[in-house]
Amino acid sequence: MNYNYLKNTKAPKVFVEAYKLIGIKETLGKDNNPTILKWADELGLKNTYTADEIPWCGLFVAYVCHKADKEVVKNPLWARNWNKYGTQEVIAMFGDILVFERGANSGHVGIYVGEDDKCYHVLGGNQGDQVSIVRIPKARCIGIRRTKWSVAQPSEVRVIKLNSEGLISDKED
C-alpha cells in the first residue's frame, strides 16, 4: 500500500509526530538503536527501558504523545495501559490510539491511519522491528482511544477508507 499521500494530509499532532519517525529500526543483536533509547530517557524511563529488543510499541506512542504535548498514560510500556488514554470511542478515526490484543495478556498499540473492510492500517513502533504502517485485523482491536480536545474536534479526525492491499500483521515485534 502506498501511503505517500499522508505527507501532505492535514493531521492531528500525534500523527504528525509519529509520521516523522517512519523507518526508525531497532538494532539487531546486542547493540541498541540510540534513538529509541533516547525516547526512553526523554520520558524518564531510562532505568525501565534498557534495550531496544524489549517491546517498544508503547514507548513509541508515549514518545509521540509527549512530543505532541498530549498526555502519556501511567506505565506506557504496557500496550494495554493505553486503554486509559483520552476518551473511549466506538468508531476509529484518523490519529486515534488503537490497542490490540496479542495473546492472553500481551498487547500492541499504534495510531490509526485508516481502514479497509477487515483491517485497521496502523502507524506504530516495533512493527517488524521498526516504525512502520501495517494492517492489523479489526477483530484484534480491544480499544479505540481519542485525544481529549479542549476545543472542537479537528476536522482531520475522521474515518479514512483505504484499499485492502498489503500483508496482514499477525505478530508485531
Side-chain angles (χ1 to χ4, degrees):
M1 177 89 194
N2 184 340
Y3 297 103
N4 284 335
Y5 72 91
L6 292 169
K7 292 178 185 174
N8 301 315
T9 298
K10 187 174 180 190
K13 198 170 180 186
V14 168
F15 179 85
V16 171
E17 293 298 330
Y19 191 78
K20 293 176 188 176
L21 304 174
I22 286 180
I24 290 180
K25 299 178 182 181
E26 68 182 64
T27 302
L28 299 178
K30 61 184 177 185
D31 292 330
N32 296 293
N33 183 321
T35 299
I36 296 171
L37 294 181
K38 181 183 126 277
W39 300 343
D41 189 25
E42 193 168 323
L43 292 164
L45 300 170
K46 183 178 182 177
N47 294 329
T48 305
Y49 191 84
T50 56
D52 67 11
E53 63 188 19
I54 298 169
W56 51 279
C57 61
L59 175 66
F60 170 78
V61 173
Y63 181 72
V64 298
C65 284
H66 169 72
K67 295 304 275 184
D69 297 320
K70 303 298 179 193
E71 70 178 292
V72 174
V73 298
K74 187 176 180 181
N75 299 317
L77 299 178
W78 295 99
R80 290 181 182 228
N81 282 353
W82 285 94
N83 265 328
K84 299 172 186 159
Y85 177 83
T87 60
Q88 182 177 344
E89 301 296 331
V90 176
I91 298 172
M93 296 186 180
F94 191 41
D96 285 352
I97 305 296
L98 302 180
V99 182
F100 298 91
E101 66 181 353
R102 201 170 68 112
N105 296 314
S106 296
H108 181 68
V109 62
I111 300 166
Y112 176 100
V113 171
E115 63 187 89
D116 57 55
D117 290 340
K118 295 181 181 177
C119 297
Y120 290 118
H121 296 235
V122 180
L123 170 54
N126 206 31
Q127 297 181 157
D129 295 331
Q130 65 182 324
V131 177
S132 63
I133 299 173
V134 299
R135 293 174 63 224
I136 302 177
K138 290 178 177 180
R140 288 183 44 209
C141 187
I142 58 172
I144 300 169
R145 308 301 295 195
R146 186 161 303 142
T147 298
K148 293 177 185 174
W149 302 102
S150 56
V151 294
Q153 178 174 295
S155 61
E156 63 265 20
V157 177
R158 66 198 187 285
V159 174
I160 298 177
K161 295 292 186 181
L162 299 170
N163 293 327
S164 57
E165 298 173 15
L167 299 173
I168 296 174
S169 177
D170 61 358
K171 180 182 170 219
E172 297 73 43
D173 58 3

